[in-house]
Amino acid sequence: MSAADVPMPTRVRLIHGVLQRLAEQAGADVLHIKGPAVAPEIMGTSTVRDPITHEMVEVVNDRDSSDADILIRPEHVDRLLVVMHRAGWDFKTSFAGSSAFGHAMNVHHPTMGNADLHRHFPGLDRKAFETLWADRGEVELGHVSCPVPSVTGQRLLLLVHAARSGPDHPDRDRAWGRASEYERTQVSALAERLHAEVGLAAALGNLEQYRTHREYLLWKSFGERHPSRLGEWRARWRAADGPVEKARVVAMLATMDAGLLEAELGRPPTSRDRVKRALRRWTTLGHEVRALLRRRRSR
Amino acid sequence: MRWKRHPQTVWEVSPDDVVHAVRADKGVIVALEGWGALIWTSDEPDVEALVAELATITGEDAATIDAGVRDFLTDLEQRGLVMTDG
């Protein structure tokens, strides 16, 4: 049986359960995030008929995920990757190559499907895992008990993620719009502890309060409906804290990740694909650089 | 004979009453429908009691059911999805 034969919501729940079992084998701490791991308090519930007992039961509303997301304790990443590789998972991208944040890698199992492994979460302190882990709860996925962030932690993750996903993301309403004043206060307090105030402000439309913050342009760029690639890279450069982080941004701008390209094409990229992609990227940036220079000259 | 699901088995019931089960370290998804789903979701660990229960529900001959259930569990055990002491 292939992944395509299993309904998507069922498949994603199975993947969460499988990843949890593999994490236990590896001795790795992981938190299950997004998708079916999100608490009913946030997603809301509906009443449906149980397929086995035929009784009416409350079920959590579906979040339309096509892959499973987990956040791994950073120092446990390598041991989990070893066990996953042994269990037949392919690594479609590297952490460094999947995004300019280097925060997640895409993995694929030929019969199970896809998952995103996060080693940190953009917008949150890189040491956030420990705080989220200390306040964790549990949810059953694939009949496996899976650790999840506290409901407050989930709200914050969803909001910061929504701020990176362009305007009008439904998680803004789920995680904040429907929350009580007390719950909102808790989210703001956690954001402060995890240095996520700018991301949270971006999610809530209050980004202008942080106009002088080094992350301001970055979050502004994420919130735009059609962000320019040049603007995005300038924002990433400005947000990078210190020479090491800035050097990393330059390195990512200058290189292209073959794994990511393969994930996009659905097949191993040829030399021609790599050249075409590299040219397209530099061409796009080139056009934007020329437009920027023209605007400056005309002032 | 007694049976139980393997601790490494992950499973879900989809909205169309199909059980999907997979061993975490093997990754092969098995779909169980009808009787298979009924047996899988049964909380009865004793095969004789399970057979008696199924015979009552379905009105079928217990000996026939017994052979079918044991074959079914043997197959699942070979796939690593269940453990039996038989």
Side-chain angles (χ1 to χ4, degrees):
Chain A
M1 166 165 271
S2 76
D5 299 322
V6 184
M8 187 67 83
T10 305
R11 192 194 322 167
V12 175
R13 294 174 70 87
L14 285 174
I15 296 173
H16 275 286
V18 164
L19 293 179
Q20 180 56 33
R21 286 289 183 242
L22 295 178
E24 289 162 5
Q25 281 180 37
D29 296 336
V30 302
L31 290 166
H32 298 256
I33 57 173
K34 301 197 277 184
V38 175
E41 293 94 315
I42 298 173
M43 292 308 299
T45 57
S46 304
T47 305
V48 298
R49 191 174 296 280
D50 184 290
I52 300 297
T53 65
H54 299 289
E55 291 170 359
M56 299 307 286
V57 291
E58 288 278 308
V59 295
V60 180
N61 292 332
D62 190 25
R63 202 167 161 273
D64 293 334
S65 298
S66 58
D67 58 11
D69 290 83
I70 59 169
L71 180 62
I72 312 166
R73 183 185 291 280
E75 52 272 36
H76 291 176
V77 168
D78 289 347
R79 66 177 76 164
L80 178 57
L81 294 185
V82 169
V83 170
M84 288 184 70
H85 184 64
R86 218 161 44 211
W89 288 82
D90 300 322
F91 307 141
K92 304 300 285 184
T93 63
S94 63
F95 280 112
S98 63
S99 79
F101 292 106
H103 70 290
M105 66 188 286
N106 309 125
V107 298
H108 174 80
H109 190 284
T111 55
M112 301 285 306
N114 298 313
D116 275 352
L117 312 183
H118 301 250
R119 60 179 174 179
H120 60 85
F121 206 84
L124 271 63
D125 191 310
R126 290 204 176 210
K127 293 173 184 162
F129 186 91
E130 190 53 57
T131 303
L132 295 172
W133 180 255
D135 296 333
R136 69 188 179 279
E138 284 187 346
V139 66
E140 195 174 84
L141 296 168
H143 291 84
V144 177
S145 181
C146 297
V148 292
S150 66
V151 176
T152 303
Q154 292 181 36
R155 287 187 197 280
L156 181 60
L157 290 178
L158 291 177
L159 286 164
V160 172
H161 180 254
R164 285 197 288 120
S165 310
D168 310 324
H169 195 285
D171 280 344
R172 282 188 181 85
D173 185 51
R174 290 173 182 145
W176 187 266
R178 299 183 210 160
S180 67
E181 274 309 310
Y182 176 69
E183 288 163 341
R184 290 178 181 183
T185 306
Q186 286 187 310
V187 172
S188 299
L190 183 61
E192 202 174 322
R193 281 174 72 194
L194 301 180
H195 302 116
E197 302 99 317
V198 188
L200 179 61
L204 302 179
N206 303 325
L207 186 59
E208 292 308 307
Q209 291 174 11
Y210 292 90
R211 204 172 174 81
T212 57
H213 196 283
R214 63 181 167 78
E215 291 181 10
Y216 168 78
L217 278 180
L218 189 59
W219 289 102
K220 189 167 185 289
S221 153
F222 290 143
E224 287 167 358
R225 207 170 288 276
H226 303 291
S228 91
R229 185 164 275 274
L230 179 61
E232 192 180 319
W233 282 105
R234 282 173 63 205
R236 282 176 180 160
W237 166 262
R238 192 175 160 194
D241 189 12
V244 174
E245 287 291 308
K246 286 194 190 299
R248 208 162 61 86
V249 173
V250 172
M252 285 177 172
L253 180 60
T255 58
M256 193 241 350
D257 187 74
L260 188 61
L261 185 54
E262 181 175 342
E264 281 180 28
L265 295 171
R267 58 173 169 76
T270 62
S271 304
R272 192 187 170 118
D273 294 326
R274 290 169 202 260
V275 170
K276 270 171 68 178
R277 171 55 58 91
L279 282 174
R280 199 172 77 192
R281 185 186 217 185
W282 286 105
T283 303
T284 306
L285 278 172
H287 288 322
E288 290 175 5
V289 168
R290 280 194 289 278
L292 180 71
L293 289 174
R294 273 199 301 274
R295 281 201 300 275
R296 284 192 175 164
R297 277 192 210 113
S298 64
R299 279 179 196 161
Chain B
M1 183 171 98
R2 296 175 74 80
W3 75 283
K4 64 177 180 181
R5 300 177 198 109
H6 193 284
Q8 289 297 317
T9 299
V10 178
W11 63 282
E12 280 284 338
V13 183
S14 58
D16 52 354
D17 291 10
V18 179
V19 170
H20 293 94
V22 57
R23 259 285 288 266
D25 49 354
K26 295 180 191 258
V28 179
I29 304 173
V30 172
L32 307 172
E33 298 177 59
W35 282 56
L38 201 59
I39 294 168
W40 185 271
T41 53
S42 156
D43 289 325
E44 178 53 67
D46 182 75
V47 172
E48 282 180 23
L50 175 62
V51 168
E53 200 178 309
L54 288 172
T56 306
I57 294 170
T58 62
E60 296 284 339
D61 173 50
T64 310
I65 294 174
D66 186 84
V69 169
R70 285 172 196 275
D71 282 352
F72 174 73
L73 291 175
T74 301
D75 183 27
L76 291 186
E77 188 168 32
Q78 285 167 356
R79 294 170 190 266
L81 295 170
V82 304
M83 299 160 78
T84 72
D85 62 2

